[in-house]
Amino acid sequence: MCWFFILALLGTAAAALPAGAGTQFTTYTVRAGDTLWAIARQYGVNLQTLVATNGIADANRIYPGQKLKIPRGTGGGVHTVVRGDTLWDLSRRYGLPVEVLQQANPGVDPRRLVPGSTLIIPGGERQVANRAASLSFIWPVRGRISSPFGPRRGGYHYGLDIACPRGSSIRAARSGRVIASSWQGSYGRVVVIDHGNGIETLYAHASELLVRVGQWVNQGEVIARVGSTGRSTGPHLHFEIRIDGIRVNPSRYLR
């Protein structure tokens, strides 16, 4: 019976969290006899995270057929914002990169956190980042960093822009299999390489693509040429490292 009491307390305290594109979810259909505690334990998710993500008012009352969103890789929990909190403060407190917190909570203005609101605090990304740190990524081009990863003009820049002459060789930062080689809207001509273990790299604004989907490429192999396609103000490479769909600061991992 004590679990029902704990669940009730959590349920009355939790507020709904937005399910934006930055967080990946599994959908679970409640079955007869299920409890939120058992579901949370089954998926390795913090109980309060499960309650808050689904906006559950009474944690004792779930019903067969109910659809629940299960955040993947977010076993950490939720944080209730207090006056004076900033995303940068929370980054230091929980030992997570700012970009991980921001992408786990899409739509949240990092400069204006609302007291009383709740944020998902991912629990798995620290281990994910450690996976990438153990890998060796080389610089895909040589040039000047024209726009670093981080806040930019009131928004957030989720990659590293490296300015270099048009036609310069773009090289694979690590060996892997090409999963995209095409035009992708504002990215222009893009190559995406899957390196396994949930890690991908993206190379955007190319003038020419030199690889095809399904092709294996070795680290350092030329995969494209620098250009200014898509939404771009001049020839450069926009480079991203993605870990389980989370875009992280490439500067931390390039050698």
Side-chain angles (χ1 to χ4, degrees), residues 52-105:
T53 300
N54 290 278
I56 296 173
D58 185 347
N60 291 324
R61 295 183 180 177
I62 57 174
Y63 53 87
Q66 183 177 359
K67 304 290 186 182
L68 298 177
K69 289 185 174 66
I70 312 293
R72 292 191 290 183
T74 57
V78 294
H79 172 86
T80 301
V81 176
V82 299
R83 187 177 301 278
D85 273 349
T86 69
L87 217 56
W88 290 271
D89 292 335
L90 299 181
S91 169
R92 290 192 295 269
R93 184 182 309 174
Y94 291 104
L96 293 169
V98 170
E99 60 268 19
V100 168
L101 292 176
Q102 188 168 34
Q103 291 183 68
N105 297 277

Side-chain angles (χ1 to χ4, degrees), residues 156-189:
Y156 208 88
H157 184 227
Y158 289 107
L160 192 65
D161 285 355
I162 307 170
C164 44
R166 189 184 306 273
S168 299
S169 295
I170 300 173
R171 301 179 184 275
R174 182 174 171 80
S175 299
R177 193 167 302 281
V178 177
I179 59 173
S181 181
S182 62
W183 182 279
Q184 294 190 14
S186 61
Y187 278 133
R189 292 189 178 94

Side-chain angles (χ1 to χ4, degrees), residues 1 14 38 40 119-120 171 231:
M1 294 298 292
L119 301 176
I120 289 179
R171 301 179 184 275
R231 190 166 62 193

Side-chain angles (χ1 to χ4, degrees), residues 93-166:
R93 184 182 309 174
Y94 291 104
L96 293 169
V98 170
E99 60 268 19
V100 168
L101 292 176
Q102 188 168 34
Q103 291 183 68
N105 297 277
V108 172
D109 186 340
R111 298 159 300 179
R112 296 184 180 87
L113 299 184
V114 179
S117 63
T118 49
L119 301 176
I120 289 179
I121 305 299
E125 275 71 12
R126 193 177 310 177
Q127 291 77 15
V128 168
N130 288 339
R131 290 207 314 264
S134 67
L135 301 178
S136 175
F137 294 88
I138 64 170
W139 286 82
V141 294
R142 290 295 176 184
R144 174 180 59 87
I145 296 177
S146 56
S147 184
F149 186 102
R152 183 175 72 174
R153 295 192 295 273
Y156 208 88
H157 184 227
Y158 289 107
L160 192 65
D161 285 355
I162 307 170
C164 44
R166 189 184 306 273

